[in-house]
PDB file of all heavy atoms in Angstrom:
ATOM      1  N   ALA A 214       3.726  -8.256  -0.913  1.00 89.00           N
ATOM      2  CA  ALA A 214       2.726  -7.996   0.114  1.00 89.00           C
ATOM      3  C   ALA A 214       1.458  -8.801  -0.130  1.00 89.00           C
ATOM      4  O   ALA A 214       0.868  -9.344   0.800  1.00 89.00           O
ATOM      5  CB  ALA A 214       2.397  -6.504   0.158  1.00 89.00           C
ATOM      6  N   VAL A 215       1.034  -8.873  -1.392  1.00 92.00           N
ATOM      7  CA  VAL A 215      -0.190  -9.607  -1.723  1.00 92.00           C
ATOM      8  C   VAL A 215      -0.121 -10.032  -3.189  1.00 92.00           C
ATOM      9  O   VAL A 215       0.417  -9.313  -4.029  1.00 92.00           O
ATOM     10  CB  VAL A 215      -1.448  -8.742  -1.463  1.00 92.00           C
ATOM     11  CG1 VAL A 215      -1.414  -7.463  -2.265  1.00 92.00           C
ATOM     12  CG2 VAL A 215      -2.733  -9.515  -1.774  1.00 92.00           C
ATOM     13  N   THR A 216      -0.640 -11.223  -3.462  1.00 93.00           N
ATOM     14  CA  THR A 216      -0.773 -11.670  -4.848  1.00 93.00           C
ATOM     15  C   THR A 216      -2.248 -11.847  -5.172  1.00 93.00           C
ATOM     16  O   THR A 216      -3.033 -12.279  -4.332  1.00 93.00           O
ATOM     17  CB  THR A 216      -0.038 -13.003  -5.096  1.00 93.00           C
ATOM     18  OG1 THR A 216      -0.561 -14.005  -4.212  1.00 93.00           O
ATOM     19  CG2 THR A 216       1.448 -12.855  -4.860  1.00 93.00           C
ATOM     20  N   ILE A 217      -2.599 -11.465  -6.389  1.00 93.00           N
ATOM     21  CA  ILE A 217      -3.953 -11.658  -6.903  1.00 93.00           C
ATOM     22  C   ILE A 217      -3.802 -12.481  -8.171  1.00 93.00           C
ATOM     23  O   ILE A 217      -3.415 -11.951  -9.216  1.00 93.00           O
ATOM     24  CB  ILE A 217      -4.665 -10.314  -7.203  1.00 93.00           C
ATOM     25  CG1 ILE A 217      -4.668  -9.414  -5.953  1.00 93.00           C
ATOM     26  CG2 ILE A 217      -6.084 -10.561  -7.685  1.00 93.00           C
ATOM     27  CD1 ILE A 217      -3.600  -8.385  -5.943  1.00 93.00           C
ATOM     28  N   ASP A 218      -4.061 -13.783  -8.044  1.00 92.00           N
ATOM     29  CA  ASP A 218      -3.808 -14.716  -9.148  1.00 92.00           C
ATOM     30  C   ASP A 218      -2.333 -14.602  -9.569  1.00 92.00           C
ATOM     31  O   ASP A 218      -1.450 -14.885  -8.784  1.00 92.00           O
ATOM     32  CB  ASP A 218      -4.779 -14.463 -10.305  1.00 92.00           C
ATOM     33  CG  ASP A 218      -6.223 -14.753  -9.890  1.00 92.00           C
ATOM     34  OD1 ASP A 218      -6.419 -15.673  -9.065  1.00 92.00           O
ATOM     35  OD2 ASP A 218      -7.120 -14.066 -10.368  1.00 92.00           O
ATOM     36  N   ASP A 219      -2.079 -14.152 -10.795  1.00 88.00           N
ATOM     37  CA  ASP A 219      -0.696 -14.091 -11.276  1.00 88.00           C
ATOM     38  C   ASP A 219      -0.084 -12.703 -11.122  1.00 88.00           C
ATOM     39  O   ASP A 219       1.007 -12.440 -11.620  1.00 88.00           O
ATOM     40  CB  ASP A 219      -0.635 -14.508 -12.747  1.00 88.00           C
ATOM     41  CG  ASP A 219      -1.472 -13.594 -13.635  1.00 88.00           C
ATOM     42  OD1 ASP A 219      -2.303 -12.845 -13.086  1.00 88.00           O
ATOM     43  OD2 ASP A 219      -1.305 -13.644 -14.861  1.00 88.00           O
ATOM     44  N   ALA A 220      -0.769 -11.796 -10.431  1.00 88.00           N
ATOM     45  CA  ALA A 220      -0.242 -10.446 -10.221  1.00 88.00           C
ATOM     46  C   ALA A 220       0.274 -10.315  -8.790  1.00 88.00           C
ATOM     47  O   ALA A 220      -0.277 -10.905  -7.860  1.00 88.00           O
ATOM     48  CB  ALA A 220      -1.335  -9.409 -10.465  1.00 88.00           C
ATOM     49  N   ALA A 221       1.344  -9.548  -8.628  1.00 90.00           N
ATOM     50  CA  ALA A 221       1.945  -9.368  -7.308  1.00 90.00           C
ATOM     51  C   ALA A 221       2.100  -7.889  -7.005  1.00 90.00           C
ATOM     52  O   ALA A 221       2.488  -7.104  -7.869  1.00 90.00           O
ATOM     53  CB  ALA A 221       3.296 -10.063  -7.244  1.00 90.00           C
ATOM     54  N   ILE A 222       1.790  -7.520  -5.766  1.00 89.00           N
ATOM     55  CA  ILE A 222       1.996  -6.149  -5.287  1.00 89.00           C
ATOM     56  C   ILE A 222       3.109  -6.204  -4.251  1.00 89.00           C
ATOM     57  O   ILE A 222       3.013  -6.951  -3.274  1.00 89.00           O
ATOM     58  CB  ILE A 222       0.713  -5.567  -4.666  1.00 89.00           C
ATOM     59  CG1 ILE A 222      -0.384  -5.491  -5.731  1.00 89.00           C
ATOM     60  CG2 ILE A 222       0.976  -4.192  -4.071  1.00 89.00           C
ATOM     61  CD1 ILE A 222      -1.741  -5.101  -5.182  1.00 89.00           C
ATOM     62  N   SER A 223       4.146  -5.431  -4.454  1.00 88.00           N
ATOM     63  CA  SER A 223       5.316  -5.494  -3.578  1.00 88.00           C
ATOM     64  C   SER A 223       5.058  -4.778  -2.262  1.00 88.00           C
ATOM     65  O   SER A 223       4.147  -3.945  -2.145  1.00 88.00           O
ATOM     66  CB  SER A 223       6.523  -4.872  -4.266  1.00 88.00           C
ATOM     67  OG  SER A 223       6.363  -3.464  -4.347  1.00 88.00           O
ATOM     68  N   PHE A 224       5.909  -5.102  -1.288  1.00 87.00           N
ATOM     69  CA  PHE A 224       5.846  -4.401  -0.007  1.00 87.00           C
ATOM     70  C   PHE A 224       6.089  -2.903  -0.210  1.00 87.00           C
ATOM     71  O   PHE A 224       5.472  -2.076   0.455  1.00 87.00           O
ATOM     72  CB  PHE A 224       6.898  -4.956   0.957  1.00 87.00           C
ATOM     73  CG  PHE A 224       6.401  -6.100   1.781  1.00 87.00           C
ATOM     74  CD1 PHE A 224       6.675  -7.406   1.406  1.00 87.00           C
ATOM     75  CD2 PHE A 224       5.655  -5.888   2.918  1.00 87.00           C
ATOM     76  CE1 PHE A 224       6.218  -8.470   2.159  1.00 87.00           C
ATOM     77  CE2 PHE A 224       5.191  -6.939   3.678  1.00 87.00           C
ATOM     78  CZ  PHE A 224       5.467  -8.244   3.311  1.00 87.00           C
ATOM     79  N   ALA A 225       6.989  -2.576  -1.105  1.00 84.00           N
ATOM     80  CA  ALA A 225       7.303  -1.165  -1.346  1.00 84.00           C
ATOM     81  C   ALA A 225       6.076  -0.413  -1.843  1.00 84.00           C
ATOM     82  O   ALA A 225       5.788   0.704  -1.397  1.00 84.00           O
ATOM     83  CB  ALA A 225       8.440  -1.048  -2.355  1.00 84.00           C
ATOM     84  N   ASP A 226       5.326  -1.026  -2.776  1.00 84.00           N
ATOM     85  CA  ASP A 226       4.122  -0.371  -3.295  1.00 84.00           C
ATOM     86  C   ASP A 226       3.035  -0.292  -2.227  1.00 84.00           C
ATOM     87  O   ASP A 226       2.307   0.700  -2.132  1.00 84.00           O
ATOM     88  CB  ASP A 226       3.602  -1.110  -4.525  1.00 84.00           C
ATOM     89  CG  ASP A 226       4.509  -0.896  -5.728  1.00 84.00           C
ATOM     90  OD1 ASP A 226       5.018   0.217  -5.886  1.00 84.00           O
ATOM     91  OD2 ASP A 226       4.706  -1.857  -6.492  1.00 84.00           O
ATOM     92  N   TYR A 227       2.925  -1.357  -1.423  1.00 88.00           N
ATOM     93  CA  TYR A 227       1.946  -1.329  -0.323  1.00 88.00           C
ATOM     94  C   TYR A 227       2.287  -0.193   0.636  1.00 88.00           C
ATOM     95  O   TYR A 227       1.410   0.574   1.052  1.00 88.00           O
ATOM     96  CB  TYR A 227       1.938  -2.669   0.411  1.00 88.00           C
ATOM     97  CG  TYR A 227       1.082  -2.649   1.665  1.00 88.00           C
ATOM     98  CD1 TYR A 227      -0.283  -2.920   1.596  1.00 88.00           C
ATOM     99  CD2 TYR A 227       1.639  -2.342   2.901  1.00 88.00           C
ATOM    100  CE1 TYR A 227      -1.070  -2.885   2.739  1.00 88.00           C
ATOM    101  CE2 TYR A 227       0.858  -2.298   4.044  1.00 88.00           C
ATOM    102  CZ  TYR A 227      -0.490  -2.573   3.960  1.00 88.00           C
ATOM    103  OH  TYR A 227      -1.261  -2.519   5.104  1.00 88.00           O
ATOM    104  N   GLN A 228       3.585  -0.079   0.993  1.00 87.00           N
ATOM    105  CA  GLN A 228       3.989   0.945   1.949  1.00 87.00           C
ATOM    106  C   GLN A 228       3.789   2.341   1.381  1.00 87.00           C
ATOM    107  O   GLN A 228       3.381   3.267   2.089  1.00 87.00           O
ATOM    108  CB  GLN A 228       5.453   0.751   2.352  1.00 87.00           C
ATOM    109  CG  GLN A 228       5.896   1.623   3.519  1.00 87.00           C
ATOM    110  CD  GLN A 228       5.047   1.419   4.756  1.00 87.00           C
ATOM    111  OE1 GLN A 228       4.750   0.289   5.127  1.00 87.00           O
ATOM    112  NE2 GLN A 228       4.632   2.514   5.386  1.00 87.00           N
ATOM    113  N   THR A 229       4.059   2.508   0.091  1.00 82.00           N
ATOM    114  CA  THR A 229       3.838   3.807  -0.545  1.00 82.00           C
ATOM    115  C   THR A 229       2.361   4.186  -0.502  1.00 82.00           C
ATOM    116  O   THR A 229       1.997   5.317  -0.170  1.00 82.00           O
ATOM    117  CB  THR A 229       4.316   3.773  -2.006  1.00 82.00           C
ATOM    118  OG1 THR A 229       5.725   3.533  -2.017  1.00 82.00           O
ATOM    119  CG2 THR A 229       4.032   5.100  -2.707  1.00 82.00           C
ATOM    120  N   ALA A 230       1.506   3.219  -0.836  1.00 85.00           N
ATOM    121  CA  ALA A 230       0.063   3.474  -0.817  1.00 85.00           C
ATOM    122  C   ALA A 230      -0.409   3.789   0.597  1.00 85.00           C
ATOM    123  O   ALA A 230      -1.209   4.708   0.812  1.00 85.00           O
ATOM    124  CB  ALA A 230      -0.689   2.259  -1.362  1.00 85.00           C
ATOM    125  N   TYR A 231       0.104   3.036   1.575  1.00 87.00           N
ATOM    126  CA  TYR A 231      -0.283   3.283   2.972  1.00 87.00           C
ATOM    127  C   TYR A 231       0.171   4.675   3.414  1.00 87.00           C
ATOM    128  O   TYR A 231      -0.589   5.413   4.059  1.00 87.00           O
ATOM    129  CB  TYR A 231       0.314   2.214   3.880  1.00 87.00           C
ATOM    130  CG  TYR A 231       0.120   2.512   5.352  1.00 87.00           C
ATOM    131  CD1 TYR A 231      -1.122   2.357   5.955  1.00 87.00           C
ATOM    132  CD2 TYR A 231       1.179   2.983   6.123  1.00 87.00           C
ATOM    133  CE1 TYR A 231      -1.307   2.656   7.285  1.00 87.00           C
ATOM    134  CE2 TYR A 231       1.000   3.280   7.456  1.00 87.00           C
ATOM    135  CZ  TYR A 231      -0.238   3.115   8.033  1.00 87.00           C
ATOM    136  OH  TYR A 231      -0.417   3.418   9.359  1.00 87.00           O
ATOM    137  N   SER A 232       1.406   5.046   3.072  1.00 85.00           N
ATOM    138  CA  SER A 232       1.933   6.355   3.459  1.00 85.00           C
ATOM    139  C   SER A 232       1.111   7.477   2.837  1.00 85.00           C
ATOM    140  O   SER A 232       0.824   8.491   3.481  1.00 85.00           O
ATOM    141  CB  SER A 232       3.399   6.485   3.032  1.00 85.00           C
ATOM    142  OG  SER A 232       4.199   5.539   3.702  1.00 85.00           O
ATOM    143  N   ASN A 233       0.712   7.296   1.565  1.00 81.00           N
ATOM    144  CA  ASN A 233      -0.116   8.306   0.902  1.00 81.00           C
ATOM    145  C   ASN A 233      -1.476   8.442   1.582  1.00 81.00           C
ATOM    146  O   ASN A 233      -1.977   9.547   1.804  1.00 81.00           O
ATOM    147  CB  ASN A 233      -0.300   7.951  -0.572  1.00 81.00           C
ATOM    148  CG  ASN A 233       0.948   8.207  -1.382  1.00 81.00           C
ATOM    149  OD1 ASN A 233       1.853   8.905  -0.948  1.00 81.00           O
ATOM    150  ND2 ASN A 233       1.021   7.626  -2.563  1.00 81.00           N
ATOM    151  N   LEU A 234      -2.076   7.301   1.915  1.00 84.00           N
ATOM    152  CA  LEU A 234      -3.378   7.330   2.578  1.00 84.00           C
ATOM    153  C   LEU A 234      -3.249   7.954   3.963  1.00 84.00           C
ATOM    154  O   LEU A 234      -4.101   8.742   4.390  1.00 84.00           O
ATOM    155  CB  LEU A 234      -3.941   5.909   2.681  1.00 84.00           C
ATOM    156  CG  LEU A 234      -5.416   5.790   3.085  1.00 84.00           C
ATOM    157  CD1 LEU A 234      -6.314   6.445   2.039  1.00 84.00           C
ATOM    158  CD2 LEU A 234      -5.810   4.325   3.259  1.00 84.00           C
ATOM    159  N   TYR A 235      -2.186   7.601   4.674  1.00 85.00           N
ATOM    160  CA  TYR A 235      -1.920   8.164   6.003  1.00 85.00           C
ATOM    161  C   TYR A 235      -1.799   9.687   5.906  1.00 85.00           C
ATOM    162  O   TYR A 235      -2.396  10.418   6.700  1.00 85.00           O
ATOM    163  CB  TYR A 235      -0.634   7.554   6.555  1.00 85.00           C
ATOM    164  CG  TYR A 235      -0.297   7.961   7.968  1.00 85.00           C
ATOM    165  CD1 TYR A 235      -0.641   7.144   9.042  1.00 85.00           C
ATOM    166  CD2 TYR A 235       0.373   9.144   8.233  1.00 85.00           C
ATOM    167  CE1 TYR A 235      -0.331   7.512  10.342  1.00 85.00           C
ATOM    168  CE2 TYR A 235       0.682   9.522   9.526  1.00 85.00           C
ATOM    169  CZ  TYR A 235       0.337   8.701  10.575  1.00 85.00           C
ATOM    170  OH  TYR A 235       0.637   9.076  11.865  1.00 85.00           O
ATOM    171  N   SER A 236      -1.035  10.162   4.915  1.00 82.00           N
ATOM    172  CA  SER A 236      -0.841  11.603   4.736  1.00 82.00           C
ATOM    173  C   SER A 236      -2.153  12.302   4.419  1.00 82.00           C
ATOM    174  O   SER A 236      -2.406  13.417   4.889  1.00 82.00           O
ATOM    175  CB  SER A 236       0.169  11.864   3.613  1.00 82.00           C
ATOM    176  OG  SER A 236       1.426  11.332   3.939  1.00 82.00           O
ATOM    177  N   LEU A 237      -2.980  11.639   3.629  1.00 81.00           N
ATOM    178  CA  LEU A 237      -4.274  12.218   3.270  1.00 81.00           C
ATOM    179  C   LEU A 237      -5.126  12.453   4.511  1.00 81.00           C
ATOM    180  O   LEU A 237      -5.646  13.552   4.735  1.00 81.00           O
ATOM    181  CB  LEU A 237      -5.004  11.291   2.293  1.00 81.00           C
ATOM    182  CG  LEU A 237      -6.432  11.708   1.917  1.00 81.00           C
ATOM    183  CD1 LEU A 237      -6.429  13.041   1.203  1.00 81.00           C
ATOM    184  CD2 LEU A 237      -7.086  10.645   1.055  1.00 81.00           C
ATOM    185  N   TYR A 238      -5.248  11.429   5.347  1.00 83.00           N
ATOM    186  CA  TYR A 238      -6.063  11.570   6.551  1.00 83.00           C
ATOM    187  C   TYR A 238      -5.422  12.512   7.561  1.00 83.00           C
ATOM    188  O   TYR A 238      -6.114  13.205   8.305  1.00 83.00           O
ATOM    189  CB  TYR A 238      -6.320  10.195   7.183  1.00 83.00           C
ATOM    190  CG  TYR A 238      -7.444   9.461   6.509  1.00 83.00           C
ATOM    191  CD1 TYR A 238      -7.201   8.523   5.511  1.00 83.00           C
ATOM    192  CD2 TYR A 238      -8.767   9.727   6.837  1.00 83.00           C
ATOM    193  CE1 TYR A 238      -8.228   7.855   4.874  1.00 83.00           C
ATOM    194  CE2 TYR A 238      -9.809   9.069   6.210  1.00 83.00           C
ATOM    195  CZ  TYR A 238      -9.532   8.131   5.228  1.00 83.00           C
ATOM    196  OH  TYR A 238     -10.557   7.481   4.600  1.00 83.00           O
ATOM    197  N   GLN A 239      -4.089  12.545   7.579  1.00 83.00           N
ATOM    198  CA  GLN A 239      -3.386  13.469   8.470  1.00 83.00           C
ATOM    199  C   GLN A 239      -3.689  14.911   8.073  1.00 83.00           C
ATOM    200  O   GLN A 239      -3.882  15.779   8.930  1.00 83.00           O
ATOM    201  CB  GLN A 239      -1.891  13.199   8.398  1.00 83.00           C
ATOM    202  CG  GLN A 239      -1.089  13.770   9.556  1.00 83.00           C
ATOM    203  CD  GLN A 239       0.353  13.316   9.503  1.00 83.00           C
ATOM    204  OE1 GLN A 239       0.965  13.281   8.441  1.00 83.00           O
ATOM    205  NE2 GLN A 239       0.913  12.965  10.643  1.00 83.00           N
TER     206      GLN A 239
END
């Protein structure tokens, strides 16, 4: 989903974080 220099964040982790944030606001 995104790289920061030599670190990578996967789509799965992005989606998990988004789902958690969505649930929080819900």
Side-chain angles (χ1 to χ4, degrees):
V215 58
T216 58
I217 305 98
D218 295 327
D219 60 345
I222 297 172
S223 71
F224 271 98
D226 288 322
Y227 173 87
Q228 190 57 45
T229 297
Y231 172 74
S232 297
N233 286 344
L234 192 63
Y235 185 97
S236 298
L237 175 63
Y238 279 96
Q239 198 173 42

